Amino acid sequence: MAAGNRKHIRLLAAILLSGVALQAPTPIAPAWAQETKIDSFNPKMPDDAKMLLSANELVYNKDAERVIVRGAVQINYGGYQMVAQQVEYSQKTGRIIATGEIELIEPGGNRVYADQMDVTDDFGNGFIERLRVETTDLTKLAAVTGERRNGEEMILNNAVYTACTPCATDPDHKSLWHVKAQRIVQNGKTHTIRMENAKFELFGRPILYLPVLEVPDQTIKRKSGFLFPKFGYTQKLGAGVSVPYYWAISPYMDATVTGTGLTRQGFLLQGEFRQRFENGEHILSMAGISQLNRSSFTGNTVDAQETNRGMIGSKAKFEINPRWTFGWDVLVQSDNNFAKTYELSTFDGTTFTNQVYLSGLGKRNSFDARAFYFDIQDADPNSLAENKQAVAQVLDYSYTHPEPVFGGELTADINLTNVNRNREDEFEIPGIVDRFRGLEGTYHRLTADLEWKRNFIVPGGLSLTPILAARGDLIGSSMADPGTGYTGDFNNDDAATRRMLTAGIDARYPILLTTDYSSHIIEPIAQIFARPNEEYAGGLPNEDAQSFVFDATSLFDRDKFSGYDRIEGGTRANLGVRYTGALGNGYALRAIAGQSFHLGGVNSFATDDLVKAGANSGLETDRSDYVAMVGIDAPSGLTASFSSRFDERDLDLRRADATLGYQGILWQTAVTYTSIQAQPLYGSIKDQDEIQTAAAYKFADYWSVFGSVTYDLNSNVVTRNGIGITYDDRDTIFSLVYKEERDSDQSVANDWSIGARISFRTLGDIDVGDTKFDGLN
């Protein structure tokens, strides 16, 4: 007897033997000899496959060698699961004929629904009528008829293809798009879905005819092929069409090559090669063009002078082990404005930071070493901005001793900074201020800072924390003298040492007040730090302590400068009160207010330095400005916060930041008010008052509108505004965004843009312009 016939006999026997399930209260599941994984296509039915069958009625025709089961039929065989009203099996032909509300679950997880199915007993070949297929990635195919061939192909005639993620939870949801094709071939060998003589329909209307469209099936995450084109338009480049090609080189390597035709500048070629390693990834980016029409650019610019332009970028990140990370991000280009002019992704900012780094993080210590070079993208061929930027190497190490030292916590911080600059970076407002943001030459500093503190709780609940700190600096400098524009005492020594000893105490007395529905903690806080005067105050380069804002968040800092190049000296006291409240109805309150006092020695914030770091800060007087912050969180989604600084003499508002926000199911909105009084000594000669608003509203399922406005109160002008609409059901994403920007002095014409994006899951994206929106997330 032929092997094929023996197989049919075994299947027939399995069906007859499984008939015991008809009499048993519950079906009896047979034991598998071994676990076998079967592909949805090209199935390999195990020789020892067992069958589990349940039905209301079984009829066996011995002469015709035919078995018919009827009524709530359930079959589990070789990894396939079938439900139908009737199933007929012929031992002579080896075919299974199922009818009535058929559902077939394949070993790979795909589901096939049909009215009638005539297939071989290994489910590899056969015909299906009025079928619907749901894949594991929630794509759907439907057809009038279908055919399975050689266990490798499913051929659907007069078929429809779409993706419908929401259908998993909402069967009544209708996808916005679908592809109708004369024939769809799902190939299990190449893992593709090929649509022939296809029409792409959106909102039920055909908008594109496609002779052939081929996409990967649900088993493929990466497959070589052309991606959806992208469109754009800019005044100097013209209209552009980008056609990307994705190349899946190997499981750990891939690349994307994009050709862009620009009506005014010619052909731009871009490439991105990605390689994944066991412990990281490397991305190599390249782009180049030979410009056709340089005259379309503004005269006497880099864009107008260069013909052949290009760039190479490299970015990598490697995890040496779970605690150590090494990487880099660098850009090299033919001129200093190519990437920005052609809006090359991730490289088109005004400043690109080239860096190489090594970072480590332990349980109680951390290490970070970085080297920086700042690439300033500027169209001016004579621009000196990049030469004014520092080439820097910075090392930071922090350590906390794991065991108590004299009952307290001991921490150490080390910083090593090397800076080199080719040209002095001076910012001058004639007759008002000269700020030297960087000097020409080299600067080296090694800093070590040691701090010990221990907390004591005395009877009555008073919390006392004595603090001892010691810091030392070794400084080497060969920077050019800033000249007569600097009124401070600049140190010309090639080498210098600097030290600072600090003794302080932090006292807090938390008071707990409770009711049946709320709790409140009021915590008066007092600090005093005794220190000698800052050595070389204002006489050394200041590279990392230039940004300085005094507010409630920095009120109780031991050293309020933002970096290591300046040290707070003299004796200072900080006084304030902190409040935290929790109300029974879900409201949470928080607030802090206080003032700082310079008690003795030289006030570091009142000494002139190269960048005027302490000028107009609110700390340059013996009594600082008042600082306060209050915030509230409501269970309804409403949040509000207000941070402010008031003049210590007349309580004039020096700085304020207020935010009111709401986040609900349908609404999301935020309003921010910022007010900064003029700081002429710091280089800001005008008051800055601005209101920023942003809102989003979900007006229907998957549909939202959003917008933002930024208004300059002093100039009475809208400096930025935008509005957009989006649809997102996870299968279809559509966005349309309009943005407009203008200078507050209205000296520059409005700069506006319109961007659109439409994305179809499993098919690709179409982008026109920029749809990034600076507003709510």
Side-chain angles (χ1 to χ4, degrees), residues 247-320:
W247 182 18
I249 304 171
S250 73
Y252 50 87
M253 285 190 296
D254 57 26
T256 303
V257 179
T258 303
T260 302
L262 299 165
T263 55
R264 293 188 178 176
Q265 298 304 331
F267 183 72
L268 173 69
L269 182 63
Q270 297 172 255
E272 185 174 274
F273 172 78
R274 296 167 292 270
Q275 184 171 7
R276 285 162 293 277
F277 301 89
E278 185 176 352
N279 63 339
E281 181 183 35
H282 174 236
I283 301 175
L284 180 66
S285 302
M286 295 171 286
I289 190 173
S290 180
Q291 297 186 148
L292 293 180
N293 186 10
R294 294 181 300 167
S295 61
S296 65
F297 295 105
T298 304
N300 197 31
T301 63
V302 171
D303 299 321
Q305 293 177 355
E306 300 292 334
T307 299
N308 298 316
R309 310 178 72 181
M311 57 78 62
I312 297 177
S314 177
K315 183 177 183 179
K317 182 178 181 180
F318 298 96
E319 294 184 359
I320 302 173

Coordinates of all heavy atoms in Angstrom, one line a residue, residues 247-320:
W247 N 17.2 48.4 2.2 CA 17.9 47.2 1.9 C 18.2 46.5 3.2 O 19.0 46.9 4.0 CB 19.2 47.6 1.2 CG 20.0 46.4 0.8 CD1 19.6 45.1 0.6 CD2 21.4 46.4 0.5 NE1 20.6 44.3 0.3 CE2 21.8 45.0 0.1 CE3 22.4 47.4 0.4 CZ2 23.1 44.7 -0.2 CZ3 23.7 47.0 0.0 CH2 24.0 45.7 -0.3
A248 N 17.5 45.3 3.4 CA 17.8 44.5 4.5 C 18.9 43.6 4.2 O 18.8 42.5 3.6 CB 16.5 43.7 4.9
I249 N 20.1 44.0 4.6 CA 21.3 43.3 4.2 C 21.5 42.0 4.9 O 21.8 40.9 4.3 CB 22.6 44.2 4.5 CG1 22.4 45.5 3.7 CG2 23.9 43.5 4.0 CD1 23.5 46.5 4.1
S250 N 21.2 42.0 6.2 CA 21.3 40.8 7.0 C 20.5 41.0 8.3 O 20.0 42.2 8.5 CB 22.8 40.5 7.4 OG 23.3 41.5 8.3
P251 N 20.4 40.0 9.2 CA 19.6 40.3 10.4 C 20.2 41.4 11.3 O 19.5 41.9 12.1 CB 19.7 38.9 11.1 CG 19.9 37.9 10.0 CD 20.7 38.6 9.0
Y252 N 21.4 41.8 11.1 CA 22.0 42.8 11.9 C 22.5 44.0 11.1 O 23.2 44.9 11.7 CB 23.2 42.2 12.7 CG 24.2 41.4 11.9 CD1 25.2 42.0 11.3 CD2 24.0 40.0 11.7 CE1 26.1 41.3 10.5 CE2 24.9 39.3 10.9 CZ 26.0 40.0 10.3 OH 26.9 39.3 9.6
M253 N 22.2 44.0 9.8 CA 22.7 45.2 9.0 C 21.5 45.6 8.1 O 20.9 44.7 7.5 CB 23.9 44.8 8.2 CG 25.2 44.8 9.0 SD 26.7 44.7 7.9 CE 26.4 43.1 7.1
D254 N 21.3 46.9 7.9 CA 20.4 47.3 6.9 C 20.8 48.7 6.4 O 21.7 49.4 7.1 CB 18.9 47.3 7.4 CG 18.7 48.1 8.6 OD1 19.5 49.1 8.9 OD2 17.8 47.8 9.4
A255 N 20.2 49.2 5.4 CA 20.6 50.5 4.8 C 19.4 51.1 4.1 O 18.5 50.4 3.7 CB 21.8 50.4 3.9
T256 N 19.3 52.4 4.1 CA 18.3 53.1 3.3 C 19.0 54.1 2.4 O 19.8 54.9 2.8 CB 17.4 53.9 4.2 OG1 16.8 53.0 5.2 CG2 16.3 54.6 3.4
V257 N 18.8 54.0 1.1 CA 19.3 54.9 0.1 C 18.2 55.7 -0.5 O 17.2 55.2 -0.9 CB 20.0 54.1 -1.0 CG1 20.6 55.1 -2.1 CG2 21.2 53.3 -0.4
T258 N 18.3 57.1 -0.4 CA 17.2 57.9 -0.9 C 17.7 58.9 -2.0 O 18.7 59.6 -1.8 CB 16.7 58.8 0.3 OG1 16.3 57.9 1.4 CG2 15.6 59.7 -0.1
G259 N 17.0 58.9 -3.1 CA 17.3 59.8 -4.2 C 16.3 60.9 -4.2 O 15.1 60.5 -4.2
T260 N 16.7 62.1 -4.2 CA 15.7 63.2 -4.2 C 16.0 64.1 -5.4 O 17.1 64.6 -5.6 CB 15.9 64.1 -2.9 OG1 15.7 63.3 -1.8 CG2 14.9 65.2 -2.9
G261 N 14.9 64.3 -6.2 CA 15.0 65.2 -7.3 C 14.5 66.6 -6.9 O 13.3 66.7 -6.5
L262 N 15.3 67.6 -7.1 CA 14.9 69.0 -6.7 C 14.9 69.8 -8.0 O 15.9 69.8 -8.8 CB 15.9 69.6 -5.7 CG 16.1 68.8 -4.4 CD1 17.3 69.3 -3.7 CD2 14.8 69.1 -3.6
T263 N 13.8 70.5 -8.2 CA 13.6 71.2 -9.5 C 14.7 72.3 -9.7 O 15.0 72.6 -10.9 CB 12.2 71.8 -9.6 OG1 12.0 72.7 -8.5 CG2 11.2 70.7 -9.6
R264 N 15.2 72.9 -8.7 CA 16.1 74.0 -8.8 C 17.6 73.6 -8.6 O 18.5 74.3 -9.1 CB 15.8 75.1 -7.9 CG 14.5 75.8 -8.2 CD 14.2 77.0 -7.4 NE 13.0 77.7 -7.8 CZ 12.4 78.7 -7.2 NH1 13.1 79.3 -6.2 NH2 11.3 79.2 -7.6
Q265 N 17.8 72.5 -7.9 CA 19.2 72.2 -7.5 C 19.7 70.8 -8.0 O 20.9 70.5 -7.9 CB 19.4 72.2 -6.0 CG 19.2 73.6 -5.4 CD 20.0 74.7 -6.1 OE1 21.1 74.5 -6.5 NE2 19.5 75.9 -6.1
G266 N 18.8 70.0 -8.6 CA 19.3 68.7 -9.2 C 19.0 67.5 -8.3 O 18.0 67.5 -7.6
F267 N 19.9 66.6 -8.3 CA 19.7 65.3 -7.6 C 20.5 65.2 -6.3 O 21.8 65.4 -6.4 CB 20.2 64.2 -8.6 CG 19.9 62.8 -8.0 CD1 18.6 62.3 -7.9 CD2 21.0 62.0 -7.6 CE1 18.4 61.0 -7.4 CE2 20.8 60.8 -7.1 CZ 19.5 60.3 -7.0
L268 N 19.9 65.0 -5.2 CA 20.5 64.8 -3.9 C 20.4 63.4 -3.6 O 19.4 62.8 -3.6 CB 19.7 65.7 -2.9 CG 20.2 65.4 -1.4 CD1 21.6 66.0 -1.2 CD2 19.2 66.1 -0.5
L269 N 21.6 62.8 -3.3 CA 21.7 61.4 -2.9 C 22.0 61.3 -1.4 O 23.0 61.9 -1.0 CB 22.7 60.7 -3.8 CG 22.9 59.2 -3.5 CD1 21.6 58.4 -3.9 CD2 24.1 58.6 -4.3
Q270 N 21.2 60.5 -0.7 CA 21.4 60.3 0.7 C 21.5 58.8 1.0 O 20.9 58.0 0.3 CB 20.3 60.9 1.6 CG 20.1 62.3 1.5 CD 18.9 62.8 2.1 OE1 17.9 63.1 1.5 NE2 18.9 62.8 3.5
G271 N 22.3 58.4 2.0 CA 22.4 57.0 2.4 C 22.6 56.9 3.9 O 23.3 57.8 4.5
E272 N 22.0 55.9 4.5 CA 22.2 55.6 5.9 C 22.4 54.1 6.1 O 21.5 53.3 5.7 CB 21.0 56.1 6.7 CG 21.1 56.0 8.2 CD 20.0 56.6 9.0 OE1 20.0 57.8 9.3 OE2 19.0 55.8 9.3
F273 N 23.5 53.8 6.6 CA 23.9 52.4 6.9 C 23.8 52.1 8.4 O 24.5 52.9 9.2 CB 25.2 52.1 6.3 CG 25.8 50.7 6.7 CD1 25.3 49.6 6.0 CD2 26.7 50.6 7.7 CE1 25.8 48.3 6.4 CE2 27.2 49.3 8.0 CZ 26.7 48.2 7.4
R274 N 23.1 51.1 8.8 CA 22.9 50.8 10.2 C 23.4 49.4 10.4 O 23.1 48.4 9.7 CB 21.5 50.9 10.6 CG 20.9 52.3 10.5 CD 19.4 52.3 10.6 NE 18.8 51.7 9.4 CZ 18.4 52.3 8.3 NH1 18.6 53.6 8.2 NH2 17.9 51.7 7.3
Q275 N 24.3 49.2 11.4 CA 24.8 47.9 11.8 C 24.6 47.7 13.3 O 25.0 48.5 14.1 CB 26.3 47.8 11.4 CG 26.8 46.4 11.7 CD 28.2 46.2 11.2 OE1 28.8 47.1 10.7 NE2 28.7 45.0 11.2
R276 N 23.9 46.6 13.7 CA 23.7 46.3 15.1 C 24.7 45.2 15.5 O 25.0 44.3 14.8 CB 22.3 45.8 15.3 CG 21.3 46.9 15.2 CD 19.8 46.4 15.0 NE 19.7 45.9 13.7 CZ 19.4 46.6 12.6 NH1 19.4 48.0 12.7 NH2 19.3 46.1 11.4
F277 N 25.2 45.4 16.7 CA 26.1 44.5 17.3 C 25.5 43.9 18.5 O 24.4 44.3 19.0 CB 27.4 45.2 17.7 CG 28.1 45.8 16.5 CD1 27.8 47.1 16.1 CD2 29.1 45.1 15.7 CE1 28.5 47.7 15.0 CE2 29.7 45.7 14.7 CZ 29.4 47.0 14.3
E278 N 26.1 42.9 19.1 CA 25.6 42.3 20.3 C 25.4 43.3 21.4 O 24.5 43.2 22.3 CB 26.5 41.2 20.8 CG 25.9 40.4 21.9 CD 26.8 39.2 22.3 OE1 27.8 38.9 21.5 OE2 26.6 38.5 23.3
N279 N 26.3 44.3 21.5 CA 26.2 45.3 22.6 C 26.0 46.7 22.1 O 26.2 47.6 22.9 CB 27.5 45.2 23.4 CG 28.7 45.6 22.5 OD1 28.7 45.6 21.3 ND2 29.8 46.0 23.2
G280 N 25.5 46.9 20.9 CA 25.3 48.3 20.5 C 24.9 48.4 19.0 O 24.5 47.5 18.3
E281 N 25.0 49.7 18.5 CA 24.6 50.0 17.2 C 25.5 51.1 16.6 O 25.9 52.0 17.3 CB 23.2 50.4 17.1 CG 22.6 50.7 15.7 CD 21.2 51.2 15.8 OE1 20.8 51.8 16.7 OE2 20.4 50.9 14.8
H282 N 25.7 51.1 15.3 CA 26.4 52.1 14.6 C 25.6 52.6 13.4 O 25.1 51.7 12.7 CB 27.8 51.7 14.2 CG 28.5 52.7 13.3 ND1 29.0 52.5 12.1 CD2 28.8 54.0 13.6 CE1 29.6 53.6 11.6 NE2 29.5 54.5 12.5
I283 N 25.5 53.9 13.2 CA 24.8 54.5 12.1 C 25.7 55.4 11.3 O 26.3 56.3 11.9 CB 23.5 55.3 12.6 CG1 22.6 54.4 13.4 CG2 22.8 55.9 11.4 CD1 21.4 55.1 14.0
L284 N 25.9 55.1 10.0 CA 26.7 55.9 9.2 C 25.8 56.6 8.1 O 25.0 56.0 7.4 CB 27.7 55.0 8.4 CG 28.7 55.8 7.5 CD1 29.6 56.7 8.2 CD2 29.5 54.7 6.7
S285 N 25.9 57.9 8.1 CA 25.0 58.7 7.2 C 25.9 59.5 6.2 O 26.9 60.0 6.6 CB 24.2 59.7 8.0 OG 23.4 59.1 9.0
M286 N 25.4 59.6 5.0 CA 26.1 60.3 3.9 C 25.1 61.0 3.0 O 24.0 60.5 2.9 CB 27.0 59.3 3.1 CG 28.1 58.7 3.9 SD 28.9 57.4 2.9 CE 27.7 56.1 3.0
A287 N 25.5 62.1 2.4 CA 24.7 62.8 1.5 C 25.6 63.7 0.6 O 26.7 64.1 1.0 CB 23.7 63.7 2.2
G288 N 25.1 63.9 -0.6 CA 25.9 64.7 -1.5 C 25.1 65.2 -2.7 O 24.0 64.6 -3.0
I289 N 25.5 66.4 -3.2 CA 24.8 67.0 -4.4 C 25.8 67.8 -5.2 O 26.7 68.4 -4.6 CB 23.6 67.8 -3.9 CG1 22.7 68.2 -5.1 CG2 24.0 69.1 -3.2 CD1 21.4 68.9 -4.7
S290 N 25.5 67.9 -6.5 CA 26.2 68.9 -7.3 C 25.1 69.9 -7.7 O 24.2 69.6 -8.6 CB 26.8 68.2 -8.6 OG 27.4 69.2 -9.4
Q291 N 25.2 71.1 -7.2 CA 24.1 72.1 -7.3 C 24.0 72.6 -8.8 O 25.0 73.0 -9.4 CB 24.3 73.2 -6.4 CG 24.2 72.8 -4.9 CD 24.3 74.0 -3.9 OE1 23.7 73.9 -2.9 NE2 25.0 75.1 -4.3
L292 N 22.8 72.6 -9.3 CA 22.5 73.1 -10.6 C 22.4 74.6 -10.7 O 22.8 75.2 -11.7 CB 21.3 72.4 -11.2 CG 21.4 70.9 -11.4 CD1 20.1 70.4 -12.0 CD2 22.5 70.6 -12.4
N293 N 21.8 75.2 -9.7 CA 21.4 76.6 -9.8 C 21.8 77.3 -8.5 O 21.0 77.6 -7.6 CB 19.9 76.7 -10.1 CG 19.5 78.2 -10.3 OD1 20.3 79.1 -10.5 ND2 18.2 78.4 -10.3
R294 N 23.1 77.7 -8.4 CA 23.6 78.4 -7.2 C 23.0 79.8 -7.1 O 22.9 80.3 -6.0 CB 25.1 78.4 -7.2 CG 25.8 77.1 -7.1 CD 27.3 77.2 -7.1 NE 27.7 77.9 -8.4 CZ 28.9 78.4 -8.5 NH1 29.8 78.3 -7.6 NH2 29.3 78.9 -9.7
S295 N 22.6 80.4 -8.2 CA 22.1 81.7 -8.2 C 20.7 81.9 -7.5 O 20.3 83.0 -7.1 CB 21.9 82.3 -9.6 OG 21.0 81.5 -10.4
S296 N 20.1 80.8 -7.2 CA 18.8 80.8 -6.5 C 19.0 81.1 -5.0 O 18.1 81.5 -4.3 CB 18.0 79.5 -6.7 OG 18.7 78.5 -6.1
F297 N 20.2 80.9 -4.5 CA 20.5 81.3 -3.2 C 20.9 82.7 -3.0 O 21.3 83.4 -4.0 CB 21.7 80.4 -2.6 CG 21.4 78.9 -2.5 CD1 21.9 78.0 -3.5 CD2 20.6 78.5 -1.5 CE1 21.6 76.7 -3.4 CE2 20.3 77.1 -1.5 CZ 20.8 76.2 -2.4
T298 N 20.9 83.3 -1.8 CA 21.3 84.6 -1.6 C 22.7 84.8 -1.9 O 23.6 84.0 -1.5 CB 21.0 85.0 -0.1 OG1 19.6 84.8 0.2 CG2 21.3 86.5 0.1
G299 N 23.1 85.9 -2.6 CA 24.4 86.1 -3.0 C 25.4 86.2 -1.8 O 25.0 86.6 -0.7
N300 N 26.7 85.9 -2.1 CA 27.7 86.0 -1.1 C 27.4 85.1 0.2 O 27.7 85.5 1.3 CB 28.0 87.4 -0.6 CG 29.3 87.6 0.1 OD1 30.3 86.9 -0.2 ND2 29.4 88.5 1.0
T301 N 26.8 84.0 -0.1 CA 26.6 83.0 1.0 C 27.4 81.7 0.6 O 27.7 81.5 -0.6 CB 25.2 82.7 1.2 OG1 24.6 82.1 0.0 CG2 24.4 83.9 1.6
V302 N 27.6 80.9 1.6 CA 28.2 79.6 1.3 C 27.4 78.8 0.3 O 27.9 78.1 -0.6 CB 28.4 78.8 2.6 CG1 28.8 77.3 2.3 CG2 29.4 79.4 3.5
D303 N 26.0 78.9 0.4 CA 25.1 78.1 -0.5 C 25.3 78.6 -1.9 O 25.3 77.7 -2.9 CB 23.7 78.4 -0.1 CG 23.4 77.9 1.3 OD1 23.9 76.8 1.7 OD2 22.7 78.5 2.1
A304 N 25.6 79.9 -2.1 CA 25.7 80.4 -3.5 C 27.1 80.2 -4.1 O 27.3 80.2 -5.3 CB 25.4 81.9 -3.5
Q305 N 28.1 80.0 -3.2 CA 29.5 79.8 -3.7 C 29.9 78.4 -4.0 O 30.8 78.2 -4.8 CB 30.4 80.4 -2.6 CG 30.3 81.9 -2.4 CD 31.2 82.4 -1.3 OE1 31.9 81.6 -0.6 NE2 31.2 83.7 -1.1
E306 N 29.2 77.4 -3.3 CA 29.7 76.0 -3.5 C 28.8 75.3 -4.6 O 27.6 75.6 -4.7 CB 29.5 75.3 -2.2 CG 30.4 75.9 -1.0 CD 31.8 75.7 -1.2 OE1 32.2 74.7 -2.0 OE2 32.6 76.5 -0.7
T307 N 29.5 74.4 -5.3 CA 28.8 73.6 -6.3 C 28.7 72.2 -5.8 O 27.5 71.7 -5.7 CB 29.6 73.6 -7.6 OG1 29.6 74.9 -8.1 CG2 28.9 72.7 -8.6
N308 N 29.8 71.5 -5.5 CA 29.7 70.2 -5.0 C 29.7 70.2 -3.5 O 30.7 70.7 -2.9 CB 30.9 69.4 -5.5 CG 30.9 69.3 -7.0 OD1 29.9 69.0 -7.6 ND2 32.1 69.5 -7.7
R309 N 28.7 69.6 -2.9 CA 28.5 69.7 -1.4 C 28.2 68.3 -0.9 O 27.5 67.5 -1.6 CB 27.4 70.7 -1.1 CG 27.6 72.0 -1.7 CD 26.4 73.0 -1.4 NE 26.5 73.4 0.0 CZ 25.6 74.3 0.5 NH1 24.5 74.7 -0.2 NH2 25.7 74.7 1.8
G310 N 28.6 68.0 0.3 CA 28.4 66.7 0.9 C 28.7 66.7 2.4 O 29.2 67.6 3.0
M311 N 28.3 65.6 3.0 CA 28.5 65.4 4.4 C 28.6 63.9 4.7 O 28.1 63.0 4.0 CB 27.4 66.0 5.3 CG 26.0 65.5 5.0 SD 25.5 63.9 5.6 CE 25.7 64.2 7.4
I312 N 29.3 63.6 5.8 CA 29.4 62.3 6.4 C 29.1 62.4 7.9 O 29.8 63.2 8.6 CB 30.7 61.6 6.2 CG1 31.0 61.4 4.7 CG2 30.8 60.2 6.9 CD1 32.3 60.8 4.3
G313 N 28.2 61.6 8.4 CA 27.9 61.6 9.9 C 28.0 60.2 10.4 O 27.7 59.2 9.7
S314 N 28.5 60.1 11.6 CA 28.7 58.8 12.3 C 28.1 58.9 13.7 O 28.5 59.8 14.4 CB 30.1 58.3 12.3 OG 30.3 57.1 13.0
K315 N 27.3 57.9 14.1 CA 26.7 57.9 15.4 C 26.7 56.5 16.0 O 26.3 55.6 15.2 CB 25.3 58.5 15.5 CG 24.7 58.5 16.8 CD 23.3 59.2 16.8 CE 22.7 59.3 18.2 NZ 21.4 59.9 18.2
A316 N 27.2 56.3 17.2 CA 27.3 54.9 17.7 C 27.1 55.0 19.2 O 27.4 56.0 19.9 CB 28.7 54.3 17.4
K317 N 26.6 53.8 19.7 CA 26.4 53.7 21.2 C 26.6 52.2 21.5 O 26.0 51.3 20.9 CB 25.1 54.1 21.6 CG 24.8 54.0 23.1 CD 23.5 54.5 23.5 CE 23.3 54.4 25.0 NZ 21.9 54.9 25.4
F318 N 27.5 51.9 22.4 CA 27.9 50.5 22.8 C 27.8 50.4 24.3 O 28.3 51.2 25.0 CB 29.3 50.1 22.3 CG 29.4 50.2 20.8 CD1 29.9 51.3 20.2 CD2 29.0 49.1 20.0 CE1 30.1 51.4 18.8 CE2 29.1 49.2 18.6 CZ 29.7 50.3 18.0
E319 N 27.2 49.3 24.7 CA 27.1 49.0 26.1 C 28.3 48.0 26.4 O 28.1 46.8 26.1 CB 25.8 48.4 26.5 CG 24.6 49.4 26.4 CD 23.3 48.8 26.9 OE1 23.3 47.6 27.3 OE2 22.3 49.6 26.9
I320 N 29.4 48.5 26.9 CA 30.5 47.6 27.2 C 30.1 46.5 28.2 O 30.5 45.4 28.1 CB 31.7 48.5 27.8 CG1 32.0 49.6 26.8 CG2 32.9 47.6 28.1 CD1 33.1 50.6 27.3

